Structures are given as C-alpha cells and as structure tokens.
Amino acid sequence: MQRYFADEVNANGQLVISGDDYHHVVRVMRMDVGDKLICVDGSGKSCICTIAEITDKKINCNVVECKDGSSELPIRVSIASGLPKGDKLEWIIQKGTELGADQFVPFTAARSIVKWDEKKADKKVERWQKIAKEAAEQSHRNKVPTVHFPINLNALIEASKNYDCKLIAYEEDSRIGEASVLAKSLKNLEENNTLFVVFGPEGGLDQKEVEKLQEHGFQTCGLGPRILRTETAPLALLSAVSYHFELSR
C-alpha cells in the first residue's frame, strides 16, 4: 500500500491528505473512494485507512487499523553539514532520511565554497523539506525529519546545547587511525538519547572551528581508515548507529 503523512485530523476523526500528496493519490495513483492506503498521523502512528471522500483539495480517510511498532532509530540523530557544492546536501537529506536521521542542520563553514543566498532561502529549504518527506514515505518512516535553515557556527553551538552526545567527524582522526570515540559514544547512549554530529564541507573543517566546537563539549572522532566525502560521511555515521542499536541486537 502507498504511504502518506496526514496533514490533519478533521472533526469526524478522519485523517486528511492534501497538497502534493493529494495530487499523487488522485492523479498519479488514480485511487478512488474505498481504496486502501497507509497514513501516518501527527503522533507518528501508522494507520491502515480507506478513502472515504475525495474533494477538490482534500482526501478524507477512515482509520481501519493502527499498527504497533516504529521504524525510527532508537536514538535521535541530528546531522550538521557544512554547506557543500551542488546538490550534495539534497543527497545527504534524502539518503540520511532513509537511514533514520531526525534532523538536518546545514551551516556555513569557513571552507564552504557555496555562499548562502538569503533571497532564495525559503524556496531552497522548502525543497529540502519536500525531499525529506518523500524519502520518509518511501522508507516507511514514522516521522519526517526536520530540515533547518542554514546557520553559522555560533548558532550551531547554541542549537546543540541540550544534546546527550556531541561529535565532530574529523578526517584528521581518521588519518591517524582513531577508532574508539564513536564506538564508546554509542555504547554510552541509551534509547531516546540525542546525538549531534558535525561534518565539514568539501575542504573539511578548519582547526579554529574544531577547537571552538571542542570548547563547547564536542569530541572529534574517526569514521574508519578511509577518508570519506562530505556527502558520504553522514551516511556512514547513520549506518554505524543503525548497526549498533538495531542490527547487532
């Protein structure tokens, strides 16, 4: 069955689909009254529904059965990426959503080649959020990750204040073979804890950025002996989290 995130619950207790998903259900999938689909409600619960009514702009769905369980990672992982070139951030958001990321926090790093255009900000972030939503539907997530507006390093430090664990994926640590910090950090985390991980842009983080992050409770860590691209490193981290909390149990 096709999977969608409901926009609201109406006065009759029906889950309501609208916007782009309305178009997908009606125009692309050509569904009609009585057809079944899966809706995720506002609390993250997946429900098998039947289409009760299709109006000009909305689809009202009756809940048949709510399914137990969740496909979310046991810990909430936020990925902070130094703004990369081209469509690399879109790749990080799409694949990172499939791998279970909770939030994406782009930031302007000293070595970011791309300069953030405030005039295009709303449309850009709207596109990123749409990519996250579609990837969440495709991968059967119970929530859509939040994609934030790009911020500077000071704002990033402020946003990371209340996290249980804060790491910097640092290529210099990988070069010298550091392999214990990530494993120890994951071992110390428990279900529903939070993890904030910073990744540099193509040129990496500069030393001053690393030192400033360390002053605010961040630890540097390696992701293995190979040097990963800026769009690959977050996916490697999320895969390691999944292995530790899901696949090795």
Side-chain angles (χ1 to χ4, degrees):
M1 282 183 282
Q2 292 292 311
R3 187 180 185 89
Y4 302 94
F5 287 89
D7 297 293
E8 59 179 295
V9 180
N10 65 20
N12 297 321
Q14 296 170 317
L15 297 181
V16 179
I17 297 172
S18 58
D20 290 341
D21 283 344
Y22 172 93
H23 172 81
H24 191 268
V25 172
V26 177
R27 307 298 180 202
V28 179
M29 300 306 299
R30 298 189 178 277
M31 292 185 182
D32 207 342
V33 171
D35 288 339
K36 286 187 176 182
L37 44 74
I38 295 175
C39 281
V40 181
D41 66 15
S43 68
K45 188 175 294 183
S46 298
C47 304
I48 297 175
C49 301
T50 56
I51 297 175
E53 180 185 23
I54 299 176
T55 70
D56 289 341
K57 294 183 178 180
K58 294 182 178 182
I59 301 165
N60 299 320
C61 302
N62 290 330
V63 176
V64 176
E65 176 190 358
C66 286
K67 304 170 76 175
D68 293 329
S70 172
S71 59
E72 297 302 304
L73 282 175
I75 66 169
R76 298 194 298 280
V77 184
S78 292
I79 301 296
S81 295
L83 282 173
K85 295 186 294 184
D87 60 358
K88 291 178 182 178
L89 187 59
E90 294 183 2
W91 172 269
I92 293 169
I93 292 168
Q94 183 187 63
K95 302 308 176 188
T97 296
E98 292 178 28
L99 287 167
D102 183 69
Q103 295 188 65
F104 296 94
V105 186
F107 70 98
T108 51
R111 294 175 180 167
S112 288
I113 297 171
V114 172
K115 301 304 177 186
W116 181 244
D117 187 348
E118 292 290 345
K119 295 178 181 178
K120 299 178 181 178
D122 288 342
K123 286 188 177 180
K124 197 76 171 177
V125 176
E126 183 181 340
R127 173 171 169 75
W128 291 340
Q129 192 65 64
K130 182 180 179 183
I131 288 170
K133 179 176 178 292
E134 291 174 349
E137 289 172 343
Q138 183 273 324
S139 57
H140 288 206
R141 292 280 303 269
N142 290 80
K143 69 166 289 185
V144 179
T146 301
V147 183
H148 294 271
F149 278 78
I151 54 179
N152 60 31
L153 190 66
N154 290 332
L156 182 151
I157 289 169
E158 184 67 26
S160 70
K161 271 188 174 179
N162 297 320
Y163 279 73
D164 296 301
C165 181
K166 300 186 287 189
L167 299 175
I168 308 163
Y170 194 38
E171 62 270 20
E172 295 304 324
D173 282 11
S174 293
R175 284 194 178 96
I176 63 173
E178 191 288 312
S180 64
V181 172
L182 177 59
K184 288 178 181 177
S185 297
L186 295 181
K187 187 175 180 180
N188 291 332
L189 287 169
E190 299 176 352
E191 189 171 339
N192 294 321
N193 279 176
T194 52
L195 172 63
F196 194 101
V197 191
V198 176
F199 300 86
E202 287 86 355
L205 297 167
D206 73 19
Q207 190 59 37
K208 290 182 179 178
E209 289 174 318
V210 172
E211 290 171 358
K212 189 167 186 177
L213 289 166
Q214 288 175 320
E215 289 171 6
H216 290 86
F218 282 83
Q219 284 184 283
T220 60
C221 70
L223 295 176
R226 292 162 294 282
I227 304 302
L228 305 178
R229 292 176 183 268
T230 186
E231 68 271 29
T232 310
L235 311 186
L237 181 281
L238 288 164
S239 297
V241 171
S242 176
Y243 177 79
H244 180 85
F245 286 99
E246 297 173 324
L247 300 179
S248 66
R249 306 250 168 133

